[in-house]
Amino acid sequence: MEIKVVKDILDANEQLARGNRKLFDANNLFAVDLMSSPGAGKTSLILQTIKGLKKKIKIGVVEGDVSSSLDAEVIGREGIPVVQINTGGGCHLDANMLSTALGNLPLKAIKLLFIENVGNLICPAGFSLGAHRRVLISSIPEGDDKPFKYPLMFNIVDAVLINKIDLLPHLKFDIDAFSRTIKGMNQKVEIFPVSCTTGQGIEQWVSWLLSQMRGGEHAQRIRDK
Amino acid sequence: MEIKVVKDILDANEQLARGNRKLFDANNLFAVDLMSSPGAGKTSLILQTIKGLKKKIKIGVVEGDVSSSLDAEVIGREGIPVVQINTGGGCHLDANMLSTALGNLPLKAIKLLFIENVGNLICPAGFSLGAHRRVLISSIPEGDDKPFKYPLMFNIVDAVLINKIDLLPHLKFDIDAFSRTIKGMNQKVEIFPVSCTTGQGIEQWVSWLLSQMRGGEHAQRIRDK
């Protein structure tokens, strides 16, 4: 019976996620679901990406947190449209929460939307939001064993950023072994070692992001219009 | 209706947690529920505590992970009785999982039991396991804003360890502000800055742990026997 309830919730979420995707596509907007452990650098990555792209592309942000609006305030200072979702104890965003938040954003003006999920390596992986790409930020201080412990998250994402590489001289972390493990689980995944403090590697990440926006089904759909 | 289901689950968990506590007390065993973000240092703290206490007190460990038995293997190498719980996707341990695991440990021989919860700052806070103390490990690289974002976790714990203080020269983290924030939410909480890499601060943590085992209702109960 409990399994039935959970299945219903996931089905309902999937349907709402498809609705969000349709809304994105109707507005020629490319959406990215950003996930990570608490403190791995989601907001810092958004800030670095804004720095690289603000003059080229209109960006918007949805901030997901259990509580507080600290991150939305930081993003708002950049002059970027931002909406905060507080889950009030919930351990992940879902398609319904996102759908409500989207009503408060100028979707027609936004070309790239970052959805910062709740800091959690488990629950967000199970709930699609309708984004075009799902991206995980891992970070050096968390250790290189995380793919073994949180396999679903590493399996479902399109890209993994390895953040805080500026701390490599002070910590044990084998980037090659970590990358091999992820590729073994998820052959299509792209991996980007970066530092959101020094800016190292951000250019490669931004290039990939632009290529995803231009190419693939999203661009195809734009061309077909 | 959904709320009703969740309430039933929490009630059932609470009842099983009380059963676990009775089993601990019947065996004169002191149990600690260790929680943190992924990679904050739960296993490293257990290893450091074993180093300080192995000759004085018989220790046992329950390892909770979504997947893998990496941490249990590390603990097992110390000659410590250890049981691995894999939640198979579940985002926290619950009292029922723990109850099953306890059947595989020599409870009569163990005086101090560490229960390493799943790496997650949200869901484990809501599920009591029956432990005598609940302890959170926060870490410097996660940033000092976490109490605002994950308030339930910081509210319910008896102690917070601030791990990885050896990285303080390389990162921005205001220990005083962080401690004030936590104390503002949770007046009875004890705070221990530590480094599980250098061993700094571990002595204070171990002293507190021993004082908790000796004093309070647990020791009272032992004296009353």
Side-chain angles (χ1 to χ4, degrees), chain A residues 40-41 45 48 137-140 160-168 175 191-206:
Chain A
L45 182 75
Q48 280 283 357
I137 308 174
S138 229
S139 68
I140 299 292
V160 174
L161 289 102
I162 309 174
N163 191 22
K164 309 192 189 180
I165 54 170
D166 52 296
L167 295 176
L168 274 173
I175 288 192
I191 299 173
F192 301 98
V194 302
S195 166
C196 291
T197 302
T198 68
Q200 202 186 333
I202 295 296
E203 212 182 306
Q204 288 81 349
W205 149 251
V206 168

Side-chain angles (χ1 to χ4, degrees), chain B residues 44-104:
Chain B
S44 303
L45 181 76
I46 293 173
L47 288 172
Q48 280 283 358
T49 312
I50 288 172
K51 216 195 231 178
L53 284 178
K54 193 158 75 168
K55 284 179 188 154
K56 294 184 202 162
I57 293 176
K58 184 80 179 169
I59 297 175
V61 176
V62 173
E63 281 292 337
D65 280 295
V66 171
S67 180
S68 94
S69 59
L70 292 174
D71 292 342
E73 288 160 25
V74 170
I75 300 291
R77 270 177 234 133
E78 299 292 315
I80 296 287
V82 57
V83 174
Q84 176 80 49
I85 301 175
N86 277 157
T87 64
C91 50
H92 59 88
L93 294 183
D94 64 33
N96 187 43
M97 293 177 196
L98 178 61
S99 166
T100 307
L102 293 177
N104 296 298

Side-chain angles (χ1 to χ4, degrees), chain A residues 146 149-150, chain B residues 33-49 63-65 71 75 114-120 135-137 163-164 196:
Chain A
K146 293 301 160 287
K149 294 187 177 176
Y150 305 91
Chain B
D33 179 8
L34 265 186
M35 299 174 287
S36 84
S37 292
K42 293 182 293 301
T43 310
S44 303
L45 181 76
I46 293 173
L47 288 172
Q48 280 283 358
T49 312
E63 281 292 337
D65 280 295
D71 292 342
I75 300 291
F114 285 113
I115 306 154
E116 184 176 328
N117 219 313
V118 175
N120 180 345
V135 172
L136 169 64
I137 307 174
N163 191 22
K164 308 193 190 181
C196 291

